[in-house]
Amino acid sequence: MRNILVTGAFGQIGSELIPALQQRYGAEHVIVSDIRMAPLQSRVATERNFEHVDCTQPQQIIDAVRRHDIDTIYHLAALLSAVAEERPHLAWSINMGGLYNVLEAARQCRCRVFFPSSIGAFGPSTPRDHTPQVTIQRPTTMYGVTKASGELLCDYYAARFGLDVRGLRLPGLISYVAPPGGGTTDYAVEIFYQALRYKHYRCFLGPATRLDMMYMPDATRAMIELMEAAGAALKYRNAYNVTAMSISPEDLAAEIRKHIPGFVIDYQVDPVRQSIADSWPRSLDDSAARTDWGFAPRFDLASMTADMLARLGETVTGPEGRRAPA
Ligand SMILES: NC(=O)c1ccc[n+]([C@@H]2O[C@H](COP(=O)([O-])OP(=O)(O)OC[C@H]3O[C@@H](n4cnc5c(N)ncnc54)[C@H](O)[C@@H]3O)[C@@H](O)[C@H]2O)c1
């Protein structure tokens, strides 16, 4: 192993993937990059390990790869589903153009690539329950179009150029380190902050909207385990279905209420995000990931909720500035 480059590193995933990679491979082997500059008191980025890389600029990627002797790229830079629907042209440029530039840099410099696809790569004509690994993919959002096309491009580079590219179809991710970046499943993070602060949350998805979710420690572990798996065992080079729980806002609220009695959820449905959610699967079949490389999540709804409230309860305060009860 030489060195790892992470693009879009200051987002929701990168903020937890970087420390996990640094712990596993040594901080000196992980290069942090983003179109944003490193925050002044960043815990993970220093002058030596940070590169300003805009993924729509191919030369910036190649320069960073060569300068740091990179052999593995975790390509996280993208616009998420709700933002992509507001800015579809920019989403195509960043999500597709950025992936193409990363795959090209990887082809030229012989790097391995991790690509995060999404449940958004499916659409309304996909079977919504127990969604198979291989099935109809006709997404109706720009985000989904870039993820489904991105999966095809990864397959192409693997077949045509022998590139070692691996991917996951990630569900909505729940985490407490960095805020989510404008996705349809953001409610599942916001609800914890509002429950601790105000014992009240107004949800932008309807109560029974069931979607796949995963706690971030399971997601970062899955990415690293997939990248460490024996290549010969991997049947799919576009992306593997993975999930940990299939939950709705009312399920999550009921679980939070076990810790914060009196927590109230009400609903003001955002038609854009609701229609995106309604076009996505309710639960994925992740048996291919379990069989091919041993994927197994550790957190379910109950253990994720308990851990989120315990972690956030250390920093998030109630309206009067008192430590929130968790
Ligand atoms: N968070 C989730 O729930 C989720 C679920 C499924 C898939 N994913 C995928 O995982 C990846 C990372 O998601 P995230 O939640 O961390 O996203 P995020 O929005 O939190 O972070 C994305 C990062 O990319 C950076 N970025 C934007 N444009 C860039 C550019 N041109 N060049 C370089 N960096 C740029 C942003 O500054 C930001 O730090 C994305 O591809 C996303 O589609 C996320």
Side-chain angles (χ1 to χ4, degrees):
M1 189 198 113
R2 302 202 306 265
N3 295 313
I4 295 168
L5 174 70
V6 181
T7 70
F10 296 140
Q12 188 192 6
I13 295 181
S15 300
E16 296 189 48
L17 179 64
I18 299 281
L21 291 171
Q22 289 177 332
Q23 194 180 13
R24 185 151 186 85
Y25 304 114
E28 68 279 15
H29 291 297
V30 182
I31 303 303
V32 176
S33 79
D34 202 290
I35 196 170
R36 290 187 270 165
M37 295 309 290
L40 276 180
Q41 279 154 354
S42 171
R43 288 181 302 124
V44 292
T46 63
E47 246 174 50
R48 288 185 58 200
N49 74 1
F50 176 70
E51 283 282 346
H52 179 264
V53 175
D54 174 353
C55 290
T56 64
Q57 304 301 315
Q59 198 57 44
Q60 292 186 12
I61 304 169
I62 290 177
D63 288 347
V65 165
R66 294 208 169 120
R67 196 173 304 129
H68 295 281
D69 192 23
I70 299 296
D71 72 347
T72 303
I73 304 174
Y74 284 76
H75 175 49
L76 304 183
L79 293 194
L80 300 199
S81 56
V83 184
E85 234 28 58
E86 278 169 24
R87 312 181 74 182
H89 301 100
L90 186 64
W92 178 264
S93 158
I94 294 175
N95 295 14
M96 277 316 290
L99 175 64
Y100 176 77
N101 294 338
V102 164
L103 290 171
E104 260 307 292
R107 182 184 70 79
Q108 289 174 35
C109 304
R110 302 313 302 167
C111 297
R112 306 155 72 237
V113 175
F114 172 77
F115 167 63
S117 188
S118 157
I119 52 173
F122 298 114
S125 51
T126 304
R128 293 194 69 199
D129 296 304
H130 220 55
T131 304
Q133 171 67 34
V134 180
T135 185
I136 301 163
Q137 288 184 262
R138 298 292 304 269
T140 49
T141 62
M142 178 50 96
Y143 181 69
V145 168
T146 65
K147 290 301 183 188
S149 313
E151 288 188 17
L152 291 175
L153 198 59
C154 290
D155 258 350
Y156 178 79
Y157 268 76
R160 176 74 175 78
F161 303 116
L163 199 72
D164 188 352
V165 51
R166 306 171 181 205
L168 297 177
R169 289 188 189 123
L170 293 166
L173 298 178
I174 299 172
S175 68
Y176 55 86
V177 174
T184 301
T185 51
D186 291 10
Y187 90 83
V189 176
E190 293 169 5
I191 192 171
F192 285 97
Y193 286 85
Q194 300 300 86
L196 286 165
R197 284 195 184 117
Y198 307 114
K199 293 191 174 187
H200 172 248
Y201 178 60
R202 181 154 294 163
C203 187
F204 58 77
L205 294 183
T209 311
R210 182 166 295 283
L211 292 167
D212 285 288
M213 299 278 176
M214 187 182 285
Y215 198 30
M216 191 64 86
D218 275 336
T220 54
R221 193 169 49 76
M223 293 175 212
I224 292 171
E225 285 178 5
L226 174 64
M227 291 306 281
E228 289 186 353
L234 304 178
K235 283 196 210 71
Y236 302 100
R237 289 310 185 131
N238 52 335
Y240 278 91
N241 283 2
V242 286
T243 185
M245 57 195 97
S246 165
I247 59 169
S248 64
E250 62 190 0
D251 295 338
L252 185 49
E255 194 60 39
I256 290 174
R257 213 169 285 122
K258 291 179 187 167
H259 301 262
I260 305 178
F263 168 63
V264 173
I265 185 167
D266 58 23
Y267 299 90
Q268 185 170 26
V269 170
D270 167 11
V272 174
R273 284 182 285 190
Q274 185 67 52
S275 74
I276 294 176
D278 290 342
S279 76
W280 287 356
R282 282 185 285 256
S283 67
L284 296 185
D285 172 2
D286 61 5
S287 53
R290 290 174 185 267
T291 305
D292 287 4
W293 50 278
F295 166 72
R298 292 180 186 155
F299 287 89
D300 61 9
L301 174 59
S303 52
M304 176 277 294
T305 303
D307 200 60
M308 274 294 281
L309 289 171
R311 304 281 184 158
L312 281 177
E314 291 166 11
T315 51
V316 176
T317 54
E320 289 96 35
R322 276 184 277 111
R323 188 71 72 229

